[in-house]
């Protein structure tokens, strides 16, 4: 640690979902020379990560999209062979 390094550092992590396939994690590190500034930066970063998490959720398919894609799939047996 050098004189230029901040005195305090904290990781801020937002996680959505709890399953293997539906989990998104966003993580950032905030640093400051005093605890008051660190708390302010943590609050600001938490808000920013929550906004980013909402954007990530918005681009993921919902259950109706997944069902529709599954129903549209065909097997080789269903395909007609052109001669």
């Amino acid at each position: 640690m050098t004189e230029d390094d901040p005195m305090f550092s904290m990781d801020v992590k937002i996680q959505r979902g709890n399953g293997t396939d539906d989990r998104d994690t966003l993580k950032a590190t905030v640093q400051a020379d005093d605890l008051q500034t660190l708390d302010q930066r943590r609050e600001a970063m938490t808000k920013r990560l929550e906004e980013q998490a909402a954007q990530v959720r918005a681009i993921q398919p919902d259950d109706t999209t997944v069902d529709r894609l599954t129903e549209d799939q065909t097997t080789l047996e269903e395909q007609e062979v052109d001669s």
Side-chain angles (χ1 to χ4, degrees):
M1 194 169 175
T2 68
E3 287 183 27
D4 295 333
D5 290 338
M7 291 287 292
F8 301 97
S9 178
M10 177 185 291
D11 290 330
V12 180
K13 178 179 170 182
I14 300 288
Q15 182 173 325
R16 180 198 71 84
N18 54 11
T20 303
D21 295 332
D22 71 341
R23 184 177 10 201
D24 296 312
T25 303
L26 301 171
K27 182 179 173 183
T29 301
V30 292
Q31 300 176 333
D33 289 325
D34 61 80
L35 290 175
Q36 182 178 2
T37 303
L38 184 70
D39 284 342
Q40 292 169 346
R41 290 179 180 174
R42 178 193 46 81
E43 287 176 21
M45 185 57 68
T46 299
K47 182 179 178 182
R48 191 168 189 180
L49 289 178
E50 287 171 347
E51 291 168 356
Q52 292 292 321
Q55 289 178 4
V56 169
R57 275 186 230 112
I59 62 173
Q60 294 183 2
D62 60 14
D63 290 339
T64 58
T65 304
V66 173
D67 290 341
R68 189 183 75 242
L69 291 175
T70 302
E71 292 171 8
D72 288 346
Q73 302 298 314
T74 59
T75 65
L76 289 175
E77 294 172 356
E78 296 170 343
Q79 296 293 321
E80 291 184 29
V81 180
D82 293 329
S83 304

